[in-house]
Amino acid sequence: MKLDQDLRVSQMEPMLRKPGAIGQCKSLFEDKFLASTTEALDYDKRIHGFDLNSFSLDFYDRVRLINYIRKEKPSAQSLRTLSGKEFSYDDYLLPVIEDDPLLLGPLDSWSDSEDGSNLSAPTDLATANRRIATLELKLAAAKEELTHFRLLVHQRMDTAHIRDAINAPDGHIASPSRRDDDSHYFESYGESEIHAVMIQDRVRTSSYASFIMTNADLFQNAVVLDVGCGTGILSLFAARAGAKRVIAIDASDIALKAKRIVEANGYENVITVIQGKVEEISLPDDISHVDVIVSEWMGYALLYESMLDSVLHARDRFLKPAGVMAPSQCRMMLCLSEASDIYKERIGFWNDIYGFDLSVMGEEVFTDAVVDIVGPDTVMSEPYMIKDLYLRDITTKQLEFMTPFSLVSTAERRTKIHALVLYFDAFFEATGSPVSSNTAVRVTRGGEGELAEVWPLGRRPSALRRQSLKSRQETISFSTGPRSVPTHWKHTIFLLREPVVVTEGTIVAGTFHCRKRENNSRELDVEVHYTVKSGASSEGIETPGDVVVQIFKVR
């Protein structure tokens, strides 16, 4: 253990101490490069009489001042009378020097000692542990600041592009280009990390695998369309299950990797990968319609990202009249949650910071849905289905809706409800027919997952499992709710501005409104109207409280 800790310290020291981890640092006033940010600041202080650290600036003002000096080249003497207005413009957030070490602060002087001296080798395990903890906290804080800074610069650069578009060279006002809600969405799915997260979600991947691999009658000699294929994993399952042809479509650059994956697994004669939007592509010349559409289109709160719109477009263009959608049905479920831990982390945390009230920082949580996980013990009602999506019939218009709900508290004692929690259940029916209203969803417990049941590690099924590849003709389903193993979709949590106190039988009833956001069609606006009915009075009449309205963004 001590060897491991010493190794971590020795690995971190060079990164934090040597300027090479960031690059040599240029003086603010001349073309002289110093070995570190500390040396550069000391040089400017000694030679030019300017001490950057003497200014009490937050991170962004410090960045503005550095870029102001580098861009405008004022004398060190003139900076002594700065009012702050000179560098207050956000244009100065754009770096003058790419990867300017000064913009990150003097990282090379980080130390757990009070005098800021350089790191030395730890003499005991306790010192090493303390130093590692200190360095990790500082490194995490710097990374977070850098992430926010890059995001802000990106936003300012976008604003600059719009300003350039408006100030056209001919002197006329040019119309800025129409917002493209798709660009960032497809770019994000071009990265490998997001696909690793999805594939490693055993509830998700094993459910799709189980449905495809145990319904040979459906997939044998079928033509299958995989919408938003990603790595092509669902296409590979379909090909392995006996599909005659599989058309895998993805608009992001992951399609290029999917094609290589298909070739690496020897399915290039079965699977055709097409890069493009399903709304714009054409199927191969010898195919007009498909027997099955498979797609993992679900987002946070089920409808976030609006990928279902594209899947329904594919259904209307390419699916045979008797074709099957997989999944065939999804249900949006709502429940009450005590959610005290989430409340403390996101809101209560700000109430007392070293004796100061910073609660203003937590206010935005009441307008932005939180994507996180609540435990099964926090659920204080049976779930209520607020939307049943049968994919063979539903239209894109029906994806914006208003529906009533009624949640009956199951709390055994007086409990404060901090949140409404939204999740979804998904069903795969081989016939494509709707599942009955009393069909229970499969709740996956810890350690479960069906992938091993349908295909073991390696490329060939074991003799004991070949029987499982035959059609089972049963509904496959999974839940993303709190009582199931957490999935990468987590839970969509609507924290209540005014927590509700309930006992057993208390009813929280109202209406749930869901629609696409006007300024980004892939995000959602949710509006919840609710009232609390405390139960029947002595005369047998329920006593509802005031109607509360709260609006959230899912983004």
Side-chain angles (χ1 to χ4, degrees):
M1 177 65 182
K2 184 177 188 304
L3 178 63
D4 180 59
Q5 298 284 2
D6 289 346
L7 178 61
R8 290 173 65 190
V9 170
S10 65
Q11 288 173 334
M12 293 181 74
E13 278 190 280
M15 179 181 71
L16 297 176
R17 290 172 64 187
K18 293 182 180 179
I22 302 174
Q24 287 193 323
C25 186
K26 184 181 176 182
S27 163
L28 286 169
F29 301 100
E30 56 182 280
D31 290 333
K32 182 177 181 63
F33 288 85
L34 288 304
S36 69
T37 57
T38 299
E39 291 184 26
L41 294 175
D42 288 344
Y43 177 84
D44 288 339
K45 180 179 179 181
R46 186 176 68 256
I47 303 299
H48 298 281
F50 178 80
D51 184 4
L52 179 64
N53 290 331
S54 68
F55 290 80
S56 298
L57 303 172
D58 65 18
F59 176 78
Y60 297 107
D61 280 339
R62 179 187 174 95
V63 168
R64 289 187 182 96
L65 177 57
I66 292 169
N67 287 320
Y68 167 77
I69 296 172
R70 295 212 186 277
K71 184 176 182 179
E72 308 300 340
K73 303 187 184 324
S75 66
Q77 185 174 2
S78 68
L79 294 174
R80 297 172 185 171
T81 58
L82 278 177
S83 66
K85 293 181 179 178
E86 298 88 344
F87 58 91
S88 63
Y89 304 104
D90 284 346
D91 286 349
Y92 292 122
L93 287 171
L94 300 179
V96 176
I97 298 177
E98 185 176 359
D99 297 328
D100 190 343
L102 281 182
L103 299 182
L104 299 179
L107 299 182
D108 51 297
S109 64
W110 282 2
S111 171
D112 61 349
S113 61
E114 293 182 1
D115 61 0
S117 58
N118 285 336
L119 294 170
S120 58
T123 57
D124 57 71
L125 181 59
T127 302
N129 285 335
R130 188 169 60 253
R131 179 168 295 163
I132 288 171
T134 301
L135 292 175
E136 287 179 341
L137 284 172
K138 291 181 177 180
L139 184 59
K143 285 180 176 179
E144 185 176 0
E145 288 279 22
L146 184 58
T147 298
H148 289 307
F149 172 62
R150 285 173 172 164
L151 176 61
L152 188 56
V153 168
H154 179 72
Q155 292 170 341
R156 297 302 175 189
M157 292 180 71
D158 284 348
T159 302
H161 290 323
I162 293 174
R163 186 171 61 240
D164 292 342
I166 294 174
N167 300 322
D170 59 4
H172 292 86
I173 297 178
S175 298
S177 58
R178 180 181 176 275
R179 177 190 173 91
D180 179 8
D181 295 340
D182 294 340
S183 297
H184 174 71
Y185 172 69
F186 290 126
E187 286 173 5
S188 67
Y189 279 94
E191 303 298 327
S192 298
E193 288 80 5
I194 191 170
H195 296 281
V197 170
M198 292 189 292
I199 286 178
Q200 290 168 5
D201 183 342
R202 288 186 61 86
V203 172
R204 164 199 182 269
T205 307
S206 67
S207 297
Y208 276 91
S210 180
F211 173 72
I212 294 171
M213 300 302 297
T214 60
N215 282 285
D217 290 347
L218 176 61
F219 285 91
Q220 191 70 39
N221 295 318
V223 178
V224 178
L225 180 64
D226 181 359
V227 180
C229 67
T231 60
I233 185 65
L234 303 186
S235 295
L236 293 169
F237 283 137
R240 180 173 277 177
K244 178 172 60 177
R245 291 288 300 277
V246 181
I247 313 302
I249 302 171
D250 204 296
S252 76
D253 287 343
I254 195 66
L256 303 175
K257 294 180 181 178
K259 185 175 181 180
R260 293 170 56 196
I261 290 170
V262 167
E263 293 171 351
N265 286 276
Y267 285 111
E268 61 269 25
N269 294 327
V270 177
I271 302 173
T272 301
V273 179
I274 300 175
Q275 183 174 9
K277 297 179 181 179
V278 73
E279 294 86 351
E280 300 171 358
I281 62 95
S282 298
L283 297 182
D285 293 341
D286 57 333
I287 298 175
S288 59
H289 290 84
V290 302
D291 301 295
V292 182
I293 293 179
V294 296
S295 179
E296 196 278 80
W297 52 266
M298 298 83 89
Y300 301 138
L302 186 64
L303 298 178
Y304 174 72
E305 294 182 331
S306 294
M307 185 179 167
L308 180 54
D309 296 52
S310 296
V311 174
L312 298 183
H313 184 92
R315 177 200 66 188
D316 296 340
R317 285 185 68 192
F318 303 125
L319 188 64
K320 292 179 179 178
V324 172
M325 302 286 290
S328 55
Q329 196 163 341
C330 290
R331 292 172 175 168
M332 298 173 71
M333 313 297 290
L334 192 68
C335 65
L336 299 175
S337 176
E338 177 257 347
S340 60
D341 287 343
I342 299 292
Y343 182 87
K344 290 174 185 176
E345 292 171 6
R346 305 298 181 112
I347 298 173
F349 162 77
W350 295 106
N351 292 340
D352 184 1
I353 305 295
Y354 294 97
F356 296 104
D357 180 0
L358 273 62
S359 57
V360 171
M361 299 297 293
E363 290 178 357
E364 65 184 27
V365 180
F366 293 118
T367 59
D368 279 303
V370 174
V371 177
D372 208 328
I373 293 170
V374 297
D377 55 328
T378 73
V379 177
M380 295 294 153
S381 74
E382 291 301 317
Y384 188 96
M385 183 175 67
I386 59 171
K387 188 69 175 177
D388 192 358
L389 294 80
Y390 176 45
L391 268 64
R392 178 176 281 177
D393 291 344
I394 197 166
T395 65
T396 53
K397 278 188 176 182
Q398 293 172 321
L399 302 183
E400 296 189 328
F401 61 92
M402 183 276 289
T403 187
F405 66 86
S406 181
L407 300 169
V408 181
S409 168
T410 56
E412 296 179 354
R413 59 182 181 275
R414 186 179 172 86
T415 304
K416 186 176 287 188
I417 301 298
H418 288 99
L420 300 179
V421 173
L422 179 66
Y423 64 93
F424 67 88
D425 298 335
F427 299 84
F428 300 76
E429 175 55 58
T431 65
S433 302
V435 297
S436 64
S437 58
N438 60 359
T439 300
V441 70
R442 181 174 191 260
V443 175
T444 306
R445 307 298 180 185
E448 293 183 7
E450 295 193 0
L451 188 57
E453 298 176 16
V454 297
W455 207 269
L457 295 176
R459 293 176 179 267
R460 300 178 64 182
S462 66
L464 294 176
R465 289 178 179 162
R466 286 182 186 135
Q467 186 67 25
S468 70
L469 297 181
K470 297 180 180 179
S471 289
R472 294 197 305 204
Q473 291 300 318
E474 66 180 53
T475 300
I476 301 296
S477 64
F478 68 85
S479 176
T480 64
R483 292 191 173 97
S484 186
V485 168
T487 67
H488 78 283
W489 288 288
K490 302 183 181 179
H491 310 125
T492 304
I493 303 165
F494 304 108
L495 284 166
L496 303 179
R497 199 179 293 275
E498 301 175 18
V500 174
V501 177
V502 301
T503 56
E504 187 172 8
T506 300
I507 299 172
V508 179
T511 54
F512 186 95
H513 306 245
C514 182
R515 58 182 175 272
K516 295 181 177 69
R517 297 198 70 203
E518 288 186 4
N519 62 349
N520 189 334
S521 62
R522 294 195 178 274
E523 298 176 352
L524 301 174
D525 278 331
V526 168
E527 188 172 324
V528 181
H529 300 219
Y530 68 92
T531 186
V532 181
K533 301 176 183 179
S534 58
S537 65
S538 58
E539 291 79 19
I541 302 173
E542 290 183 341
T543 54
D546 296 333
V547 175
V548 179
V549 178
Q550 205 166 332
I551 299 173
F552 302 89
K553 296 181 287 290
V554 181
R555 58 181 179 175

